[in-house]
Amino acid sequence: MSKNTANQLSETRVFKPAKEFSKKARIQNMAQYRALWEESVKRPDKFWAREAADLCWNKKWLKVLDWQEPFAKWFVGGRLNVAENCLDRHLGTARQNKAAIIWEGEPGERRVITYQQLHREVCLFANVLKRNKIKKGERVLIYMPMIPEAAIAMLACARLGIVHSVVFGGFSAESIKDRVADCGAVAVITADGGYRRGAIVPLKANVDAALKDGGHPVKRVIVFRRAGNDIHIEEGRDVWWHRELEYVDANCPPVPLDSEAPLFILYTSGSTGKPKGILHSTAGYLLGAHISCKYVFDLRDDDVYWCTADIGWVTGHSYVVYGPLSMGATSLMYEGAPNWPDNGRFWKIIEEFSVSVLYTAPTAIRAFIKWGDEWPKKHDLSSLRLLGTVGEPINPEAWMWYHNVIGGGRCPIVDTWWQTETGGHMITSLPGATPTKPGTATLPFFGVDAAVVDDNGQEVPPNTMGKLVIRKPWPSMLRTVWGDKARYKKTYWSEFKGMYFAGDGARRDKDGYFWITGRIDDVLNVAGHRIGTAEVEGALVSHPAVAEAAVVGRPDEIKGQGVVCFVTVKQGVKADYALRDALKKHVRTMIGPVATPDEIRFAEVLPKTRSGKIMRRLLKQIAAGNAVTGDTTTLEDFSILAKLGSAED
Ligand code: 7RM
């Protein structure tokens, strides 16, 4: 049992929302939550029709849900535009001159962009997309730093029905190349570079490397000048963002789109070596992002809301851009690292902008704990009213620290479980209603019929581990895996009949609270980033020195999990320090810095069953520095266990 699981089972602390908080909240008590939740799953048509009226529609839908398992259509026959919902409808209201985005660059520059200004910027850039003949339904890759133009590019695509696929700036040229090929992108929107810990990330150079071999459909690369670093401009293919603006005006009506029109593709790791292009659609996705901002963050017009996620992850899509802007909220964006120029950067930002809602990841919280209380203590954090976490299970120690040191003991914490695939929050507390316990995401959100089941799909009794499933479709669910319906069906809807299988293990306690213990497939969660072991293995075996590789996670105090690689080399190759470094570098080149191995262990052979399957269970125990226990009778060659023992030194 891991330390975290042991802590969870003995956790008895309960934190009730403060009365003053509940009084002002949209959902004020558990009775209200239960009544609405019951309605949302028993009479979904009624519930969702009422919530969908929060959005602005060009044409009302005819039917709330058309469910041909596992394919869902929500708000059938309706028409709307996501950018119109995030921008246009706030114009002519009190929000017109309100900050939509407050931005701070890593070097320290600041920009405040009002709804009126953001609307104008999005219209201008949408006209740039038109000018470059990029059409509705076509795919565009966005590979940008955390700057307002990243959101502007997303919203400009949404305004025209162009499908964006944002690639995290920490992914490599190879990753861009794979994604361009998979979704058939016709253009890439990027920047010369972005700042990270004082250095410049050469984004444009990575795009050049990704496109250099040709044989792809990219005909245009639009480059925003951010860092001023020298870049190559490929004549006939590359254009500068600021130059393009000289040719366009700000008149660009939003295109009314079908409810089910694809909005974006976001690639995420699964248990094979090839990332899946998760496809989200227009109406259902937006509604999911919107109502979670409404009920979970309970966003108000006077909030300064900060989600620290990068827009390269789904959290950045739903909770930096689409959700908060559809609510007319103020969304803060920060470009850089939390420890630049020193460990107090986040707390300085919160103090200086009076941030009221903070949404961040357990891995960041654990790093803050390690850096010491003196950093947050130097700053006035009294503007905070609500805290949130996402990305992995939060260990009770980190939860308590977040609650006491950051929240001053007064802010509710919403621990939100969800996935790239789910589009928005699925299991989470509601800040004015749910009594929280450190380490649990608590109860299902509206419309979510979650359960923990055994291998036969039967719900398990309280305090029994099982697999987390969702038993009904929900509006912001993924629609398919881009270009691969069979994979969509197989991955998510075939483990159990009629249920969405999340890939996570969980148990429910006596109060029905969900305690999520993490992935049960071959996906690692490294600092909140999803990384497939098969992807890392694929990268390793593509190196000429490597014969075989097996990658497992090991517990890591800060990152949650670390990447440990067991590698056998080809005959005649010397397994030495230089090769270790070369392999780490190779993985960075193939996938990106996020997947950098923490440890590479050379082995003579890998432990396998007689049928040739690598016994990862054993490797996990070894990687964690534990004795090998459990059933080893299927192991083909016992002597190799001893040989796998030595760690990287
Ligand atoms: C939003 C996001 C999804 C995986 C998911 C879980 C883990 C996320 C929590 C969590 C426990 C949480 N999308 N996860 N949130 N586990 N408690 N509150 O992270 O697609 O990148 O990852 O992350 O394993 O399956 S994701």
Side-chain angles (χ1 to χ4, degrees), residues 552-571:
V552 296
R554 69 145 181 240
D556 182 288
E557 220 184 295
I558 304 290
K559 298 193 289 183
Q561 279 188 302
V563 181
V564 179
C565 311
F566 292 86
V567 170
T568 63
V569 292
K570 285 186 187 150
Q571 207 143 53

Side-chain angles (χ1 to χ4, degrees), residues 268 313-315 359 389-394 415-421 427 441 502-504 516-519 525 528-530:
T268 194
W313 307 105
V314 72
T315 309
Y359 189 36
T389 76
V390 59
E392 56 178 311
I394 184 165
D415 175 351
T416 61
W417 177 87
W418 61 293
Q419 308 177 292
T420 305
E421 292 88 340
I427 298 176
D504 280 330
I516 288 115
T517 49
R519 304 291 305 188
N525 194 328
H529 301 155
R530 260 169 85 166

